[in-house]
Amino acid sequence: MIGYVILSQSGQPINYYIQLMQRIRLLKDKIISKLMLLFTILSVSLVFIIGIGLYYKSIPVLQNSTWGHLLTSSVWKPLKGLFGFYPYIMGTLWVTGIAIIIALPLCVLTSLYIVEYAHSRVRRILMPFVNLLSGIPPVIFGVWGVLFIIPLIQDHIAPHFVEFSTGYSVLAGGIVLAVMIFPLIVSILNEVLRTMPQELKDASLALGATKWETIKKVILRKALPGIIAATVLAISRAFGETIAVLMVCGNNAVVPHSVFDAGYPLPALIANNYGDMMSIPLYDSALMFAALLLFIIILLFNIISRIILSRLERKMAA
Amino acid sequence: MTKDKAHISVQDLNVHIGGNHILKDLNIDIPNKSVTSIIGPSGCGKTTLLKTFNRLHDTAADVKVTGKVLVDGEDIYDPNTEITHIRKKMGLLSQRPYPLPMSIYDNVAYGPRIHGTRKKQDLDIIVEKQLKATALWNEVKDRLHSSATRLSIGQQQRLCLARGLAVGPEIILGDESTSALDPVSTSIIEDLFVKLKQDYSIVLVTHILRQAARVSDYIIFVYDGRIVEYGKTEQVLRNPREELTKEYVKGYIV
Ligand SMILES: Nc1ncnc2c1ncn2[C@@H]1O[C@H](COP(=O)(O)OP(=O)(O)O)[C@@H](O)[C@H]1O
Ligand SMILES: [Mg+2]
């Protein structure tokens, strides 16, 4: 600043100085934007690199079998070179599906309460708790599942429906997973609901609608794309959640037929066996294929939900 | 203005927002079947006043309202008064149009449906009638079931008016309802107000003196949360009694 003043009094050098500063500013601007582009490209290409890497490592097991067979067979006999992934795929889908069915309504009601009903003081107390939940390491959720959810299912829930259940089931996995994705969904939904214009709510209220009618017919409708986006993010995370789920879902490689059956999701398969059984030929390639499957499931799921979201947005704008 | 003709009667109204005294000891009788404009510098409390008429402050936690607001002689702040019933009596037209996230048809049918009109023929009649009343029918009759957000801002604002009229209100409240609109839409809305005053009592907040002159029968001048002057439009704009009013309307040349 001082330098600027002195120079400006001397007349001549000031032009040169200002021009130099100007050049440096423009240069900085360019460098920063290029840098951002570079990092963006890097993170995007990382997705492809991982995908290609997994595929490359899966080639041995793919040469030994076919995609169709690997995906639809339930026979898992590594010593004979038979790898059927169908039970694991179904295990993944069951656990994730149950988690979403449990979590979504709870999350929507919780965020509605926090944003629309709770007193601002209550809100200020509640939000840190929700955030705290997201900071708890997965293994603790697993322990909690084993200590509380398993006995709860075994002694109190399952007896009403089936003759016998150990409690270790896709339901247990779903419940634990639901609790784990809860904070993520709630914090996104809170943001979605918080940014809903007050005037829109007022418009509905001014017509004589009650608060609940306004929420049901206007707010939730307007928030639908946001709710879907939050769910997509949560499901993507849920697909890959490993430790907590493998602690409670039984890890039995059969296709579950009820929520009380044990299941064996893909991430649990990888985590349980990686490193241990590597002496068996093709086994590591099979596990890489499991990872590839998980990768593809998440990718497909994201693409499909993108399409649904853009359809929805177009429909709402149409 | 005789008292028995007052449609909205405000008595000793005080509003505090978050500890700030926003409206101070207001007393007004707003007459039936005329247009009353509330004018005043920005931040003086016009919106706040308008919101007390249909209790839209209820949604905010830190707003305290004391005093009485009588609508048709009924105190709307009486704990026994049912709020949806009060709000049904008033159509609100806010500063910018906020169409509900649904089709044009459903926007207009929203209120009637809530208040129990279910039959399609009945709803069809209401929708057509109100869209005609707001001069929108010809522009939208072929796309009633497309989203309301596709309309131009001016059309959206008329849709919002139609939506408000569809519940059969007695009073229309407008808060700078034309400030986001182009001149053509503005004049359509203004003409509508003048036409609608045969059947409705209309209260408009505006910061445009010319607009107040064009549409209103009475003007309320608010300054710093107090009513400085209230009288016939002609009188307030041409022969203001108060110094503050004189100062404010100075820029207005007829
Ligand atoms: N929600 C709110 N919280 C705090 N202050 C508010 C709120 N709403 C309005 N006010 C204050 O009340 C005063 C009047 O506001 P408003 O009625 O919107 O004025 P106008 O509509 O005349 O421009 C302003 O000083 C504004 O800052
Ligand atoms: Mg205002």
Side-chain angles (χ1 to χ4, degrees):
Chain A
M1 223 29 204
I2 288 170
Y4 176 79
V5 172
I6 292 169
L7 276 168
S8 70
Q9 281 170 344
S10 65
Q12 191 56 18
I14 184 191
N15 269 336
Y16 171 73
Y17 185 70
I18 289 180
Q19 271 173 12
L20 186 71
M21 289 302 284
Q22 184 72 7
R23 280 220 192 103
I24 291 175
R25 282 179 58 217
L26 291 176
L27 195 66
K28 269 189 193 164
D29 198 49
K30 261 191 198 140
I31 290 175
I32 296 281
S33 69
K34 287 276 173 342
L35 223 57
M36 287 182 194
L37 180 67
L38 186 72
F39 283 124
T40 311
I41 290 172
L42 220 63
S43 55
V44 170
S45 53
L46 210 56
V47 174
F48 288 99
I49 292 170
I50 291 173
I52 291 166
L54 288 175
Y55 179 74
Y56 179 74
K57 288 283 189 184
S58 311
I59 289 176
V61 79
L62 279 168
Q63 277 171 343
N64 195 43
S65 185
T66 62
W67 274 89
H69 189 255
L70 289 172
L71 293 182
T72 56
S73 162
S74 297
V75 183
W76 186 263
K77 293 206 170 106
L79 285 172
K80 292 186 180 164
L82 295 175
F83 299 97
F85 284 89
Y86 188 61
Y88 302 99
I89 297 171
M90 290 316 283
T92 301
L93 296 182
W94 271 80
V95 172
T96 308
I98 292 169
I100 289 301
I101 290 169
I102 295 172
L104 197 57
L106 286 180
C107 290
V108 170
L109 291 178
T110 304
S111 328
L112 279 177
Y113 175 74
I114 290 177
V115 176
E116 294 293 332
Y117 290 93
H119 192 274
S120 59
R121 235 174 292 143
V122 180
R123 191 177 317 151
R124 270 200 294 274
I125 298 170
L126 276 178
M127 274 319 290
F129 272 99
V130 174
N131 292 334
L132 190 69
L133 214 53
S134 67
I136 296 175
V139 67
I140 294 181
F141 283 103
V143 172
W144 168 75
V146 172
L147 291 182
F148 293 97
I149 301 301
I150 300 292
L152 182 74
I153 293 175
Q154 186 181 11
D155 301 334
H156 299 288
I157 302 177
H160 295 289
F161 301 97
V162 291
E163 250 164 54
F164 176 75
S165 167
T166 58
Y168 289 90
S169 55
V170 286
L171 178 61
I175 292 175
V176 169
L177 202 49
V179 176
M180 293 180 70
I181 57 177
F182 179 85
L184 179 65
I185 305 184
V186 167
S187 55
I188 299 176
L189 287 188
N190 279 355
E191 218 41 45
V192 170
L193 294 177
R194 235 171 33 79
T195 49
M196 229 17 84
Q198 180 63 43
E199 289 87 345
L200 187 67
K201 301 176 205 169
D202 284 352
S204 168
L205 293 172
L207 293 165
T210 61
K211 187 159 181 175
W212 175 238
E213 284 164 342
T214 302
I215 287 174
K216 209 171 46 175
K217 298 186 174 184
V218 178
I219 298 184
L220 285 184
R221 194 174 228 184
K222 184 100 176 166
L224 194 60
I227 294 175
I228 292 178
T231 312
V232 170
L233 224 82
I235 292 180
S236 304
R237 218 202 108 182
F239 274 136
E241 189 50 57
T242 312
I243 295 298
V245 176
L246 82 81
M247 287 168 78
V248 297
C249 73
N251 301 334
N252 194 357
V254 292
V255 179
H257 292 289
S258 97
V259 296
F260 301 108
D261 287 347
Y264 207 158
L266 287 165
L269 169 72
I270 301 167
N272 271 342
N273 299 297
Y274 203 84
D276 281 358
M277 322 269 277
M278 291 313 198
S279 54
I280 302 170
L282 287 183
Y283 207 111
D284 71 320
S285 177
L287 292 186
M288 284 300 169
F289 184 72
L292 180 66
L293 280 184
L294 201 58
F295 184 81
I296 292 173
I297 290 176
I298 293 174
L299 211 63
L300 273 184
F301 175 75
N302 270 277
I303 292 170
I304 292 169
S305 41
R306 277 270 136 237
I307 294 170
I308 294 175
L309 260 183
S310 67
R311 281 251 173 93
L312 195 75
E313 262 154 26
R314 222 176 312 140
K315 210 182 115 202
M316 284 180 80
Chain B
M1 270 175 294
T2 51
K3 198 157 179 108
D4 55 355
K5 271 172 73 190
H7 205 164
I8 303 177
S9 179
V10 175
Q11 299 173 3
D12 302 320
L13 180 75
N14 280 280
V15 176
H16 294 257
I17 302 180
N20 294 324
H21 201 172
I22 305 295
L23 296 182
K24 300 155 189 168
D25 302 315
L26 303 195
N27 286 285
I28 335 158
D29 284 337
I30 291 175
N32 204 358
K33 310 254 158 102
S34 8
V35 180
T36 306
S37 286
I38 302 172
I39 63 169
S42 122
C44 71
K46 305 183 293 293
T47 300
T48 308
L49 176 59
L50 204 67
K51 280 182 162 189
T52 58
F53 295 161
N54 63 353
R55 277 181 55 180
L56 274 182
H57 290 304
D58 286 20
T59 50
D62 53 354
V63 180
K64 198 174 113 231
V65 179
T66 60
K68 281 185 180 172
V69 176
L70 306 180
V71 175
D72 296 324
E74 185 183 12
D75 182 7
I76 66 168
Y77 283 91
D78 187 316
N80 295 322
T81 303
E82 207 196 318
I83 186 156
T84 53
H85 160 73
I86 291 300
R87 290 188 180 141
K88 187 173 174 288
K89 278 192 180 178
M90 305 187 203
L92 175 73
L93 202 55
S94 53
Q95 202 156 347
R96 295 202 317 115
Y98 283 90
L100 303 173
M102 45 190 86
S103 71
I104 295 171
Y105 183 98
D106 289 338
N107 260 274
V108 184
Y110 181 83
R113 277 187 179 131
I114 275 175
H115 298 293
T117 309
R118 294 257 177 267
K119 273 207 231 131
K120 185 162 182 313
Q121 303 109 284
D122 296 345
L123 290 171
D124 284 350
I125 291 169
I126 294 172
V127 170
E128 180 169 351
K129 180 176 167 209
Q130 299 310 342
L131 287 176
K132 278 180 173 159
T134 51
L136 204 56
W137 178 251
N138 284 332
E139 293 161 49
V140 302
K141 63 171 186 277
D142 299 322
R143 46 173 171 150
L144 287 176
H145 295 283
S146 65
S147 168
T149 47
R150 274 269 189 88
L151 298 172
S152 75
I153 297 288
Q155 288 172 324
Q156 285 184 21
Q157 192 65 305
R158 277 181 282 151
L159 178 68
C160 290
L161 184 57
R163 180 181 70 191
L165 296 179
V167 295
E170 300 164 9
I171 301 167
I172 298 168
L173 306 174
D175 188 357
E176 302 190 13
S177 311
T178 60
S179 61
L181 307 186
D182 59 278
V184 175
S185 303
T186 298
S187 89
I188 293 177
I189 296 265
E190 282 181 5
D191 291 347
L192 278 172
F193 284 145
V194 174
K195 209 170 82 191
L196 289 169
K197 79 173 179 187
Q198 288 163 9
D199 302 309
Y200 303 88
S201 306
I202 301 176
V203 185
L204 302 177
V205 165
T206 179
H207 63 276
I208 310 166
L209 292 176
R210 286 172 179 282
Q211 184 171 63
R214 277 194 296 267
V215 298
S216 55
D217 305 299
Y218 301 94
I219 287 182
I220 300 171
F221 174 55
V222 180
Y223 189 87
D224 192 22
R226 289 179 207 281
I227 291 178
V228 173
E229 188 154 352
Y230 179 19
K232 292 221 176 236
T233 300
E234 276 282 306
Q235 178 260 307
V236 174
L237 290 182
R238 295 194 184 206
N239 300 305
R241 280 188 296 264
E242 305 291 327
E243 272 309 311
L244 276 170
T245 322
K246 259 179 213 154
E247 197 60 25
Y248 188 73
V249 303
K250 205 165 57 184
Y252 173 76
I253 310 139
V254 186

